[in-house]
Amino acid sequence: MGIAFVRTVILYITVVAAVRVMGKRQIGELQPSELVVAILISELAAIPMQEPGIPLTSGIVPILTLISCEIILSAVTVMSIRARRFITGKPVVLIENGHILQHEMRRLRYTIDDLLEELRLAGYMSVDEVAWAIIETNGKVSFFPAAANKPATAGMLNLTAQDGGPPVTVISDGVILSHGLSRLGRDINWLHGCLQPMSLQPAQVFLMTADSQGKILVVPKEKKEGAA
């Protein structure tokens, strides 16, 4: 039992490290070669995990070999456009200037139901709301709205917009994050000053974020049931 536990932990750490080396992509964002490697890694790890008689190296060595091949392949795709197109393919236009390219859909074996589902997931009700649709190499579809459906921007309205940058978390589940305050150039006195009008203490805050433009978000902790 102890040996099986140790073998499982070793294989788990190996697989996590292997996936970490491949990057932070989600399963739906993996390129075909990366998806194949991910599947093979799980299969190779499962065999010595389930069969104590099989040497541990029989799973670790193939996993490391696959990761090495994936790294080499990634380097080749970075250096060569031809290799990149052969391995990962290239984006394909499904809707062009509001017209569905049916021949491309047939070539990709992409049904109208698939297209309508992606439209709904992207927040569009109808095909005529979209000017362009491009299926990316990872299988996801990028939609670009028709001119009449484009949201107004500050540039269109001749307004000057200021970008406060991404919000920085300064309190997380009641804990003050000093590095967040440092990024904002603020101190603990500023923090208490922001919370004082709300009659809150840091320990009572579930989430607090702020940006360089002074925009602050405070989410208090929910009171436990039965608490006064």
Side-chain angles (χ1 to χ4, degrees), residues 10 33 67 81 111 145 154 156 161 168 192 194-195 198 204 208:
I10 293 174
S33 61
I67 293 300
I81 295 178
T111 68
M156 294 177 182
V168 177
H192 285 292
C194 293
L195 297 178
M198 307 175 201
Q204 298 173 302
M208 178 178 176

Side-chain angles (χ1 to χ4, degrees), residues 95 100 105 110-119 143:
I95 298 178
I100 299 176
M105 292 184 63
Y110 204 83
T111 68
I112 189 64
D113 291 332
D114 294 332
L115 181 61
L116 293 176
E117 179 182 353
E118 292 293 337
L119 270 170
F143 292 99

Side-chain angles (χ1 to χ4, degrees), residues 15-223:
V15 172
V16 170
V19 174
R20 187 71 181 83
V21 169
M22 289 176 61
K24 292 187 176 181
R25 298 190 186 188
Q26 298 178 5
I27 293 298
E29 298 175 347
L30 294 178
Q31 298 293 346
S33 61
E34 295 170 332
L35 181 60
V36 169
V37 171
I39 294 173
L40 288 176
I41 285 176
S42 63
E43 291 294 330
L44 289 170
I47 294 173
M49 194 180 296
Q50 296 172 351
E51 298 291 340
I54 298 177
L56 203 57
T57 53
S58 298
I60 294 177
V61 172
I63 289 174
L64 296 179
T65 303
L66 281 173
I67 293 300
S68 300
C69 291
E70 176 59 29
I71 293 173
I72 294 172
L73 199 60
S74 298
V76 171
T77 58
V78 169
M79 294 184 292
S80 172
I81 295 178
R82 288 186 177 181
R84 189 185 316 153
R85 289 183 175 177
F86 176 76
I87 295 169
T88 65
K90 60 181 181 180
V92 177
V93 177
L94 298 181
I95 298 178
E96 183 178 11
N97 290 322
H99 299 288
I100 299 176
L101 303 184
Q102 299 178 31
H103 63 283
E104 292 289 1
M105 292 184 63
R106 285 194 294 268
R107 185 173 68 84
L108 296 175
R109 296 184 296 280
Y110 204 83
T111 68
I112 189 64
D113 291 332
D114 294 332
L115 181 61
L116 293 176
E117 179 182 353
E118 292 293 337
L119 270 170
R120 292 191 294 271
L121 290 173
Y124 296 100
M125 297 291 291
S126 176
V127 175
D128 58 7
E129 297 179 15
V130 176
W132 292 80
I134 301 173
I135 185 167
E136 308 294 352
T137 55
N138 60 10
K140 290 185 174 293
V141 183
S142 300
F143 292 99
F144 300 90
N149 295 308
K150 288 183 178 179
T153 63
M156 294 177 182
L157 301 175
N158 295 321
L159 299 176
T160 302
Q162 293 182 333
D163 185 5
V168 177
T169 303
V170 292
I171 297 180
S172 176
D173 201 7
V175 178
I176 299 174
L177 304 181
S178 57
H179 62 274
L181 289 173
S182 299
R183 282 186 59 187
L184 293 170
R186 303 290 188 175
D187 57 19
I188 194 69
N189 294 325
W190 170 85
L191 179 65
H192 285 292
C194 293
L195 297 178
Q196 186 176 5
M198 307 175 201
S199 300
L200 290 173
Q201 294 297 320
Q204 298 173 302
V205 177
F206 181 69
L207 174 67
M208 178 178 176
T209 63
D211 62 22
S212 59
Q213 296 297 323
K215 183 179 179 181
I216 298 172
L217 169 69
V218 177
V219 180
K221 286 186 177 181
E222 292 181 349
K223 293 183 178 179

